[in-house]
Amino acid sequence: MARIQLENVTKKFGKVTALDGISLDIKDKEFFVLFGPAGAGKTTILNCIAGIQLPEEGVVKFDGEIVNLVDAAHRDTAMVFENYALYPQMTVYDNMASPLRSKLYKKDEDYIKNKIHEVAAMMKMENLLERLPSQLSNGQKQRVAMGRALVRSPRVYLMDEPLAHLDAKLRNAMRTELKEIQANFGTTSIYVTHDFMEAMSLGDRIAIINEGKVVQLGTGDAIYYMPCNEFVAQLMGDPEINLISGTLAKSGDSCTFTMDAGGKVYDLPKEKDLFAKLDELGASKVDLGMRPQNLTYSFEPKEGYIKCTVYSYESIGNKSVIVAELSGLQLRMIAPNGLKVKIDQDVYVDMQLDHAMFFDAETKNYLTRYNEAAIKAFAEKQEG
Amino acid sequence: MAGLRIEHLYKRYENDGKKKKNAAKNDYAVKDLNLVAEQGEFIALLGPSGCGKTTTLRMTAGLEDITKGEIYIGDTLVNNLHPKDRHIGLAFEDYAMYPPLTVYDNIAFNLKAKGVDKAEIDKRVREIAPLMQCDDLLDKMPVKLSGGQKQRVNIARAIIRRPELLLMDEPLSHLDGKARQAMRTEIKRLINEIKCTTIYVTHDQLEAMSLADKIAIINFGVLQQYGTPAEVYDDPVNEFVASFIGEPPMNILETTIMGEGDHFFFTFADSNLKIEVPKRYYNVVSNGFKCKMGVRPMDVLIGAADSKGTPEEVATFENLGDERRIGIHVGSFLLMLITDDEKRYKAGDIIKLEVRGEKTHLFDLETGNRIREK
């Protein structure tokens, strides 16, 4: 059980700054996700917490106590790695027992047996205990690696992309399983991933990491609905958010958006707070952020819809994505599977503008969005 | 350009015990495979690893001997034709480019080897390059390219010979998430443009579903189903196809049919879930009949408060931003449903579970074959 704090942690590898003044306050018993693209510094943060790497600057605290000078073995953490790192000559049982047989965290064999069976039952792997790692599928190996960490009661679990090696289907299934047993952890957990679905599903809170910095911190909902910039907006969501550049113009108590591609003028739905905020920020050149599910399409001409051509139509599993093209701008939208759509045929597209987010075209930073107050209140309640 | 016809194709690896440890000696890697690809069609060979899909492709390419059966490209029997005379283009997972040659020379290599004259080669390279968006790359060396760019060059090289048949083996599996998706779209547009008959091997059902005109699903060397993406998704012939196609996979549970008055219901061990059997199955089920029921996560719904659905406890709730997934225990099975509903649930909440009866499938307990209404 521990609250983990990082204060202004900076880590350099030669000339490369891997972490650039990272500050995080991870609550006791929280499931905390570090999410970002490859090379962002997520694993380095984890290693600094584990004590595998030492920061040049800043402090790491466990329950308010500075642990910079405590070596990795004595920090009492349990790690799960992407590549499982199982002992090939040992059975699953012995692999799981290994942390409890180490000098530092030694337990008697009766305790070990009970604990392993308890964890194995929770992870549905009781039938695997006598097997060798070579006799396991990748999903099963992953389960063992996780189980080996869970037999201990460390101060914090550190998990480094534990599902990244699995294929898409298995990864989704394992993620759901992890979600189910998560409530039983009762221990602070820090989870590194580059998969936004894992981040959204598992994290009580998510820290978006990029180029060694914390870009945004909040609940999944807060980040999904109010991403702090276009980079974060694009990370959260698959298919990616549509960013549509154009110009705002205010006249009286109404406001219009003129799209750069095609030049269509949209009358923005009235929302007093939103218009006031846009005014206050002096927003003019903006990028409109529209999630694919907030675009609608028709294959017949329709009032208010803009004419585009189909760039592609592809299934993404339980639904499909239509990509429509308009003067070089590609618009992604969600459609059902099995439509009869031809490449380059006409398609008519409209936007549900009351779901729009606004980003500054220059800085790419978040300005405001529809329903901001309600979403903010909801996110605050979630953080509790 | 030509179609492809495969008739009663068999493949057995002889004296190859070491390599194919798992395959029993007399097992066929490909067994009585029949397949017709019309001219210009895009066919995906889909199946788990070791199912024989790559073996089939390699026999078509002439890289592997045929044990039994016939392969026709157009009207020509190609069993005994040398690979170079089969008019095929190949693009494999590994790019296998010549590292000392520029992208231009890599693309041009095959034509040069054939002795095509320089002006003609240049014309064709400049024609193909923009199609694969590698016009800016022509002067670069392969080491300077990203994975996606290498695969683009690789495909350009395969199509420059204007093959009658384009064969691709997992061309995207080296690429990561977004690059893969982008490349998928490009391949689709390319094939649409050049209208070349294409056979595409993949183990990724999503790739097959999004690219192919028709999908051949293969398991243990045997063709399970051959149809359009919509056919294999909506009308799978057996449990294997039903669970292989779709993500998250179809929920497939053992069920016992129970008659109540003049209605039938699906019931499940250790669960109070009860789903009405659609009328169309009344000819094939009876009280106490045991089979498996399959239903896709999109066809399981959360009922309104006054719904007649069975109240069930939420075991897992996953908010994925674009959609939400809910898991419910039915005995030891975790039944998944997907919803766009904005409501946030948590484990332990009670929801009324409804199932779109008309979207359920029945499978035989033993064989896994579809049980169809009569």
Side-chain angles (χ1 to χ4, degrees):
Chain A
M1 319 281 139
R3 172 183 177 195
I4 309 283
Q5 288 158 286
L6 278 76
E7 288 172 6
N8 201 25
V9 167
T10 297
K11 172 76 200 166
K12 292 181 178 149
F13 295 107
K15 279 184 193 157
V16 182
T17 305
L19 300 181
D20 188 2
I22 297 268
S23 294
L24 290 170
D25 187 349
I26 298 161
K27 299 174 205 162
D28 185 24
K29 295 188 184 151
E30 187 170 27
F31 200 102
F32 193 84
V33 170
L34 298 171
F35 171 56
K42 310 180 294 283
T43 298
T44 310
I45 297 179
L46 212 61
N47 288 344
C48 285
I49 296 171
I52 297 169
Q53 272 156 356
L54 283 180
E56 271 83 31
E57 284 172 44
V59 292
V60 179
K61 290 184 188 170
F62 282 28
D63 282 332
E65 210 174 299
I66 296 176
V67 295
N68 283 39
L69 296 177
V70 179
D71 68 27
H74 291 86
R75 287 195 191 185
D76 196 8
T77 65
M79 277 192 102
V80 186
F81 301 97
E82 178 181 358
N83 57 8
Y84 325 128
L86 301 178
Y87 299 106
Q89 77 282 19
M90 289 186 190
T91 62
V92 167
Y93 183 93
D94 288 332
N95 262 291
M96 288 175 72
S98 61
L100 299 177
R101 287 171 179 161
S102 71
K103 264 190 197 148
L104 202 52
Y105 301 110
K106 198 158 187 59
K107 293 280 196 284
D108 65 68
E109 286 295 323
D110 278 345
Y111 175 89
I112 293 176
K113 193 174 162 191
N114 282 334
K115 196 70 199 179
I116 288 179
H117 282 283
E118 183 192 317
V119 170
M122 179 170 85
M123 311 260 322
K124 295 179 201 133
M125 48 182 260
E126 285 157 302
N127 54 334
L128 304 178
L129 292 176
E130 297 314 312
R131 294 207 202 162
L132 288 171
S134 59
Q135 296 163 324
L136 302 175
S137 69
N138 281 342
Q140 291 169 330
K141 280 183 197 162
Q142 212 304 305
R143 226 172 274 222
V144 177
M146 189 77 78
R148 184 172 59 180
L150 295 181
V151 292
R152 283 200 46 226
S153 309
R155 300 175 81 178
V156 56
Y157 292 118
L158 303 175
M159 308 186 198
D160 191 0
E161 308 236 17
L163 308 185
H165 268 189
L166 308 176
D167 68 38
K169 258 188 169 173
L170 195 53
R171 196 162 63 229
N172 283 324
M174 291 290 294
R175 187 196 64 232
T176 305
E177 272 188 30
L178 192 56
K179 179 82 193 176
E180 195 178 1
I181 60 169
Q182 196 184 40
N184 304 334
F185 286 12
T187 300
T188 314
S189 305
I190 305 173
Y191 186 101
V192 165
T193 183
H194 68 269
D195 178 312
F196 99 94
M197 297 216 283
E198 280 172 34
M200 284 295 291
S201 162
L202 298 171
D204 292 329
R205 282 191 304 159
I206 303 170
I208 311 267
I209 311 293
N210 193 34
E211 295 173 345
K213 292 197 173 95
V214 178
V215 182
Q216 190 171 6
L217 178 70
T219 64
D221 274 322
I223 295 174
Y224 182 81
Y225 289 107
M226 291 194 297
C228 69
N229 58 30
E230 293 184 3
F231 168 79
V232 175
Q234 286 171 311
L235 271 186
M236 301 297 275
D238 185 23
E240 230 172 73
I241 193 169
N242 296 294
L243 293 166
I244 302 156
S245 43
T247 312
L248 292 176
K250 218 182 156 222
S251 66
D253 61 348
S254 66
C255 188
T256 58
F257 173 77
T258 310
M259 212 159 125
D260 283 353
K264 184 171 160 73
V265 180
Y266 288 89
D267 231 339
L268 292 179
K270 287 202 173 52
E271 190 186 295
K272 223 172 122 202
D273 293 354
L274 177 93
F275 287 5
K277 183 100 185 258
L278 287 173
D279 223 20
E280 180 194 317
L281 294 165
S284 158
K285 291 295 284 176
V286 295
D287 292 340
L288 214 58
M290 297 292 310
R291 297 270 175 207
Q293 59 268 38
N294 296 326
L295 294 191
T296 47
Y297 64 89
S298 158
F299 293 111
E300 303 296 326
K302 221 169 162 180
E303 174 80 38
Y305 284 53
I306 13 169
K307 184 173 159 183
C308 309
T309 54
V310 172
Y311 183 77
S312 73
Y313 169 66
E314 285 173 18
S315 170
I316 53 165
N318 50 60
K319 54 198 172 196
S320 293
V321 181
I322 298 178
V323 181
E325 203 171 40
L326 173 72
S327 324
L329 173 74
Q330 293 196 343
L331 297 168
R332 291 167 285 275
M333 52 206 159
I334 301 292
N337 283 333
L339 295 179
K340 297 249 176 297
V341 182
K342 282 211 181 76
I343 285 178
D344 293 334
Q345 78 167 81
D346 290 346
V347 60
Y348 300 84
V349 179
D350 195 23
M351 305 195 268
Q352 297 168 3
L353 285 165
D354 54 343
H355 288 87
M357 307 173 200
F358 296 84
F359 298 90
D360 188 296
E362 191 92 7
T363 63
K364 309 292 181 198
N365 285 334
Y366 173 84
L367 298 170
T368 184
R369 64 161 297 146
Y370 277 95
N371 268 321
E372 189 177 57
I375 289 167
K376 259 189 187 153
F378 177 70
E380 269 160 30
K381 208 177 114 204
Q382 268 184 330
E383 277 206 42
Chain B
M1 253 164 268
L4 170 73
R5 205 163 83 237
I6 296 177
E7 290 184 353
H8 302 292
L9 186 69
Y10 287 82
K11 174 70 189 180
R12 179 159 54 191
Y13 288 93
E14 308 280 354
N15 306 325
D16 209 4
K18 259 187 202 163
K19 261 196 199 160
K20 295 264 159 186
K21 239 187 218 163
N22 299 330
K25 216 180 164 194
N26 284 319
D27 249 9
Y28 287 100
V30 175
K31 213 165 153 184
D32 198 16
L33 185 82
N34 291 288
L35 203 69
V36 176
E38 302 294 343
Q39 181 174 319
E41 260 183 344
F42 192 126
I43 308 296
L45 303 182
L46 173 69
S49 52
C51 75
K53 54 194 190 299
T54 293
T55 305
T56 305
L57 189 85
R58 290 176 62 85
M59 284 191 280
T60 310
L63 303 172
E64 199 83 68
D65 287 336
I66 293 167
T67 305
K68 227 163 44 177
E70 277 131 35
I71 298 180
Y72 295 88
I73 296 176
D75 294 323
T76 318
L77 177 68
V78 297
N79 282 34
N80 297 315
L81 269 190
H82 192 274
K84 74 172 166 48
D85 300 323
R86 293 190 184 195
H87 305 290
I88 48 175
L90 292 171
F92 289 159
E93 180 179 353
D94 290 309
Y95 320 119
M97 273 187 268
Y98 305 103
L101 301 185
T102 61
V103 166
Y104 182 99
D105 288 330
N106 263 287
I107 297 176
F109 192 88
N110 283 311
L111 296 182
K112 271 190 191 155
K114 266 196 194 164
V116 179
D117 79 55
K118 255 193 169 163
E120 170 69 15
I121 291 179
D122 192 62
K123 194 183 132 220
R124 284 220 233 159
V125 171
R126 310 244 168 239
E127 216 174 81
I128 295 285
L131 276 183
M132 283 320 288
Q133 298 179 16
C134 47
D135 13 359
D136 305 337
L137 306 175
L138 292 176
D139 298 326
K140 293 202 173 154
M141 302 304 271
V143 285
K144 301 267 184 201
L145 304 181
S146 71
Q149 291 170 328
K150 279 184 193 164
Q151 194 51 266
R152 260 177 251 253
V153 175
N154 194 26
I155 293 170
R157 199 169 52 166
I159 57 177
I160 194 158
R161 282 185 284 181
R162 298 185 181 146
E164 298 199 333
L165 188 64
L166 181 60
L167 305 176
M168 298 204 251
D169 191 358
E170 307 255 8
L172 304 185
S173 56
H174 274 185
L175 307 180
D176 61 14
K178 283 195 175 160
R180 199 170 174 154
Q181 220 169 313
M183 193 71 200
R184 204 168 67 194
T185 309
E186 278 171 39
I187 289 182
K188 181 150 192 180
R189 289 187 62 84
L190 172 81
I191 303 301
N192 187 59
E193 179 97 27
I194 63 173
K195 299 188 170 56
C196 179
T197 313
T198 302
I199 310 295
Y200 185 101
V201 164
T202 178
H203 68 275
D204 182 345
Q205 56 95 20
L206 207 56
E207 262 173 43
M209 290 292 281
S210 60
L211 285 171
D213 296 321
K214 276 187 192 159
I215 304 176
I217 298 159
I218 303 173
N219 194 26
F220 294 122
V222 178
L223 181 68
Q224 308 285 315
Q225 188 168 3
Y226 183 44
T228 64
E231 278 164 12
V232 296
Y233 186 86
D234 292 327
D235 195 13
V237 296
N238 59 29
E239 194 184 331
F240 176 80
V241 173
S243 57
F244 201 79
I245 298 281
E247 199 323 284
M250 185 187 279
N251 297 297
I252 300 178
L253 305 82
E254 276 187 35
T255 178
T256 307
I257 307 284
M258 213 180 66
E260 221 172 75
D262 47 4
H263 290 276
F264 285 115
F265 294 90
F266 295 111
T267 64
F268 306 89
D270 302 321
S271 165
N272 54 5
L273 179 62
K274 234 168 92 179
I275 301 166
E276 192 164 351
V277 177
K279 290 269 188 304
R280 64 194 165 106
Y281 289 130
Y282 277 22
N283 290 332
V284 289
V285 301
S286 54
N287 192 21
F289 182 78
K290 285 180 192 297
C291 63
K292 285 188 178 175
M293 183 209 74
V295 64
R296 298 215 176 264
M298 297 293 271
D299 299 321
V300 184
L301 311 170
I302 303 172
D306 59 351
S307 149
K308 280 191 210 152
T310 319
E312 291 286 346
E313 193 180 302
V314 173
T316 62
F317 173 74
E318 293 186 275
N319 174 20
L320 300 180
D322 306 333
E323 64 184 28
R324 277 143 283 283
R325 295 187 184 183
I326 295 175
I328 284 150
H329 282 299
V330 177
S332 58
F333 186 86
L334 191 66
L335 180 82
M336 296 299 294
L337 73 91
I338 295 183
T339 172
D340 297 331
D341 183 352
E342 284 290 340
K343 198 169 162 204
R344 304 291 185 266
Y345 295 90
K346 57 182 190 307
D349 286 352
I350 304 292
I351 56 170
K352 293 278 190 68
L353 202 65
E354 285 181 20
V355 172
R356 282 197 184 120
E358 76 278 9
K359 295 280 193 174
T360 54
H361 301 298
L362 305 188
F363 301 100
D364 188 283
L365 270 188
E366 297 283 311
T367 62
N369 287 337
R370 234 338 244 291
I371 302 172
R372 292 179 187 273
E373 63 270 24
K374 281 173 191 150

